[in-house]
Amino acid sequence: MSDVRHVLVLPDRDAADEVAVELMARFGVTEQPRPVRDALAGEDDAEDAQWLVPVEDPDRRLDAAELDRFAAEWEGWREEP
């Protein structure tokens, strides 16, 4: 079985940190994801950075549509793997 990864894109660090914690509570993710800063191409200003929250889903139990709605609560979205 191949690993499945969802990537949630958030507008700032605070949102990414909250999402990482809430994923465990709401979706039963067993290992807290680590947010990663993703500076937009050509931008040096930290204000222009997005934050990525990679979510491992090896058992394919997380619903993509639910993750889409979840990320939207923090003005984010889910990237297709």
Side-chain angles (χ1 to χ4, degrees):
M1 181 184 309
S2 65
D3 287 345
V4 174
R5 174 182 278 185
H6 304 278
V7 178
L8 304 182
V9 182
L10 288 305
D12 58 49
R13 174 70 187 253
D14 290 340
D17 287 341
E18 288 177 32
V19 163
V21 171
E22 188 66 21
L23 278 163
M24 296 177 68
R26 194 180 302 187
F27 292 95
V29 173
T30 57
E31 187 174 322
Q32 184 172 339
R34 291 184 170 184
V36 178
R37 183 177 179 269
D38 181 39
L40 299 175
E43 298 293 336
D44 294 328
D45 187 350
E47 294 298 317
D48 293 324
Q50 296 175 329
W51 285 81
L52 308 179
V53 179
V55 183
E56 300 298 329
D57 186 18
D59 298 328
R60 299 175 186 246
R61 61 180 194 78
L62 299 175
D63 180 78
E66 284 185 49
L67 288 173
D68 287 338
R69 288 188 292 275
F70 174 72
E73 293 175 25
W74 282 271
E75 299 180 10
W77 65 90
R78 183 185 57 86
E79 286 286 319
E80 293 292 330

